[in-house]
Amino acid sequence: MSAKYCFQIDQGTDLRVPFVLKNADGTPVDLTGCDVRMQLRKSFYADEAVDTLSTKNGRITMSPSEGRFELVFPNDVTETYPVQTLVYDIELVSSGGEVRRIVEGRASVTPEVTRVN
């Protein structure tokens, strides 16, 4: 079962969202050799993703031995997000190719007022 987490994205701003995965005993999960990937969509059934983040495209950074990863949302990307509540999930892909959904939820995008031409 995946964890539920909702957060806010301010359109046109930089945002970093950190996560730490821990074992039942409180020790960090070793993410060495794993990839993490995420997509945001307008709805669960939307054909196109609003954005795709992954360790492979550099939009998710990791500290594997600490069980840490961080989602990276640059301002030039968030300024293109629609002002609405998006759905997302985050998947962990093991070195052997096993896929596990670890987090899911909603990201609310608030509108930007200040625009620089």
Side-chain angles (χ1 to χ4, degrees):
M1 179 183 287
S2 60
K4 309 281 192 253
Y5 181 71
C6 297
F7 62 99
Q8 179 176 305
I9 300 170
D10 296 329
Q11 191 182 48
T13 65
D14 295 301
L15 175 66
R16 291 179 172 270
V17 181
F19 290 89
V20 178
L21 298 180
K22 294 189 176 186
N23 295 304
D25 65 1
T27 59
V29 172
D30 187 358
L31 301 175
T32 302
C34 293
D35 287 316
V36 180
R37 61 190 184 197
M38 170 193 189
Q39 286 192 329
L40 294 115
R41 294 181 186 266
K42 291 182 179 181
S43 74
F44 292 104
Y45 307 106
D47 289 333
E48 291 185 33
V50 170
D51 198 3
T52 299
L53 294 77
S54 70
T55 49
K56 291 184 179 187
N57 71 11
R59 298 278 308 285
I60 298 177
T61 59
M62 294 178 64
S63 299
S65 62
E66 298 172 10
R68 297 179 62 85
F69 65 91
E70 187 171 63
L71 311 177
V72 179
F73 297 92
N75 66 73
D76 62 331
V77 174
T78 64
E79 73 183 6
T80 67
Y81 284 3
V83 176
Q84 70 177 85
T85 299
L86 305 172
V87 294
Y88 78 91
D89 64 15
I90 301 172
E91 296 178 333
L92 179 67
V93 184
S94 73
S95 57
E98 181 181 327
V99 178
R100 244 182 52 209
R101 183 186 313 165
I102 53 175
V103 182
E104 62 183 272
R106 300 179 188 282
S108 299
V109 180
T110 61
E112 179 179 29
V113 175
T114 302
R115 297 174 192 90
V116 181
N117 295 333

